[in-house]
Amino acid sequence: DEFTRRKPTLMEGEAMEKLNYTFSEAAEVAQVSAPTLRAWTRTPGFPILRVGANGKGRKILIPCDAFRRFLEEQAMQNAERMW
């Protein structure tokens, strides 16, 4: 029956793709300080998930793919300003 069925599990040694960074991980990946990342979170379009009641929780998660795109877009905008 459905109550005794087990969910599929990862095979031993199989890696699970990381979907979100914690605040600290995102700062480390981007090689910026916590205050810089905190300022970025206020930038329109910054990808952020607030975990908790009604999406207003204190825990912050940052979707990996969206964060990479955000960094690439910022780099392109900065390069355009330089030229």
Side-chain angles (χ1 to χ4, degrees):
D1 72 21
E2 69 181 276
F3 293 106
T4 58
R5 283 190 209 150
R6 289 182 46 182
K7 292 183 180 178
T9 57
L10 292 175
M11 301 289 285
E12 187 174 327
E14 188 176 339
M16 187 172 187
E17 181 182 1
K18 187 169 190 68
L19 298 176
N20 299 302
Y21 293 123
T22 63
F23 185 86
S24 299
E25 289 171 333
E28 185 176 333
V29 165
Q31 299 179 344
V32 297
S33 67
T36 296
L37 186 62
R38 178 96 36 219
W40 287 358
T41 64
R42 294 183 205 94
T43 302
F46 186 86
I48 188 169
L49 300 171
R50 292 191 185 275
V51 180
N54 300 321
K56 296 181 181 178
R58 294 180 55 97
K59 182 169 177 91
I60 293 174
L61 293 177
I62 301 167
C64 297
D65 290 341
F67 186 52
R68 282 189 216 103
R69 284 192 301 273
F70 174 83
L71 293 175
E72 289 169 0
E73 289 168 6
Q74 295 302 309
M76 288 173 37
Q77 288 177 6
N78 287 340
E80 289 171 0
R81 282 186 218 135
M82 293 176 66
W83 303 107

